Amino acid sequence: RHFPKEEAISSMSAVQQLTMLVGEGAKLDVHGCKTVDMASSFGKALLEFIFIVMAAITLLIGVNAGKSKAAGKVLYPATFTCGIAAIAYFAMASGGGWVIAPDCRQLFVARYLDWAITTPLILIDLGVVAGVSKWDIMALVLSDVLMVACGAFGALTVGNVKWVWWFFGMAWFLHIIFALGKSWAEAAKSRGGESGAVYSKLAGLTVIVWFCYPIVWVFAEGFGNFSVTFEVLIYGVLDLIAKAVFGLILMSGASSGYEAI
């Protein structure tokens, strides 16, 4: 859906910028855009649907997390992952959490804020299952935050600089994938028992799904080939798999009890 240009503005006050972030009465003539690619009514319906699913999964995992200390150790991060994602999707579905990017596309800032918090929580869960040290987890969490930040900065720029940010983000991303597939996998295998099997499922899912995100970014925030509505659809599917399905696998992964993990 596109909107006509009103009057061009050369600068915005802090209040105007904050207004744009929450979405209420946001200016559509920013950056001198003649048209702005916005999420359609179908896109908004998708956001609402994903919010409902994330909220339901949050409650389900949260109830199981409270059953024992061992269960909480592995399920509380998954609970907060889905809970924070639910909040982000509610913000987007209710018309907030977005700005207009320089390439005249609706950019959901709430999505990047979500990723900056939830993807580290996913890594914390993987680290707990694998049995790696807190320092190993911290190193990967920091790489993850930098990766998300690079993606956000790239989405907010145009020209060659956009792709410099993408390559920076990919460098941090490859560090994460290498660690998950090698050192963390070896640590999980060395623990024996159920940890190795559960980690293998979760890490395999995470690596495959996370590889899809930078590819979608290239055609969405990057080249702009995907409409914002299609972007909402594909990112939504990936988020559901990376967070909700991840949490459900973790919840049902310990057949002999969470003490085994």
Side-chain angles (χ1 to χ4, degrees), residues 52 91 129 142 178 232 234:
I52 293 171
V129 174
L142 291 175
F178 181 78
V232 167
I234 194 70

Side-chain angles (χ1 to χ4, degrees), residues 89 139 194:
Y89 272 94
E194 209 158 9

Side-chain angles (χ1 to χ4, degrees), residues 16 32 36 117 119 125 127 137-138 151 159 162 169 177 202 208 217 242 260:
Q16 286 175 312
V36 177
I117 302 173
T119 51
D125 246 337
I137 295 175
M138 182 186 299
K162 176 186 289 287
I177 297 302
L202 294 175
I208 292 172
W217 192 98

Side-chain angles (χ1 to χ4, degrees), residues 133-162:
S133 71
K134 293 180 180 179
W135 293 108
D136 288 330
I137 295 175
M138 182 186 299
L140 233 57
V141 164
L142 291 175
S143 289
D144 180 81
V145 171
L146 290 171
M147 174 189 70
V148 174
C150 288
F153 289 139
L156 288 167
T157 57
V158 293
N160 294 333
V161 176
K162 176 186 289 287

Side-chain angles (χ1 to χ4, degrees), residues 15-37:
V15 174
Q16 286 175 312
Q17 292 176 3
L18 179 60
T19 299
M20 283 190 60
L21 181 61
V22 298
E24 184 67 29
K27 295 282 187 180
L28 296 176
D29 57 0
V30 180
H31 311 299
C33 297
K34 293 182 179 180
T35 58
V36 177
D37 187 5

Side-chain angles (χ1 to χ4, degrees), residues 66-210:
K67 290 183 177 180
S68 69
K69 183 177 181 180
K73 182 179 179 181
V74 294
L75 291 184
Y76 275 129
T79 302
F80 288 116
T81 294
C82 292
I84 292 168
I87 292 172
Y89 272 94
F90 178 78
M92 293 185 284
S94 61
W98 60 273
V99 298
I100 298 174
D103 55 0
C104 301
R105 288 171 57 90
Q106 182 181 25
L107 177 66
F108 288 104
V109 179
R111 177 182 294 139
Y112 284 92
L113 293 175
D114 166 4
W115 291 343
I117 302 173
T118 58
T119 51
L121 287 173
I122 291 172
L123 293 176
I124 290 172
D125 246 337
L126 287 170
V128 170
V129 174
V132 297
S133 71
K134 293 180 180 179
W135 293 108
D136 288 330
I137 295 175
M138 182 186 299
L140 233 57
V141 164
L142 291 175
S143 289
D144 180 81
V145 171
L146 290 171
M147 174 189 70
V148 174
C150 288
F153 289 139
L156 288 167
T157 57
V158 293
N160 294 333
V161 176
K162 176 186 289 287
W163 299 106
V164 173
W165 282 118
W166 185 83
F167 280 110
F168 283 165
M170 287 302 295
W172 296 113
F173 174 72
L174 291 176
H175 171 226
I176 296 170
I177 297 302
F178 181 78
L180 292 180
K182 186 171 175 57
S183 59
W184 285 31
E186 292 172 352
K189 185 177 180 180
S190 66
R191 292 187 73 186
E194 209 158 9
S195 296
V198 174
Y199 177 84
S200 180
K201 291 179 183 178
L202 294 175
L205 176 74
T206 300
V207 168
I208 292 172
V209 175
W210 283 26

Side-chain angles (χ1 to χ4, degrees), residues 211-223:
F211 252 113
C212 296
Y213 282 97
I215 296 174
V216 174
W217 192 98
V218 167
F219 294 103
E221 291 98 323
F223 290 119

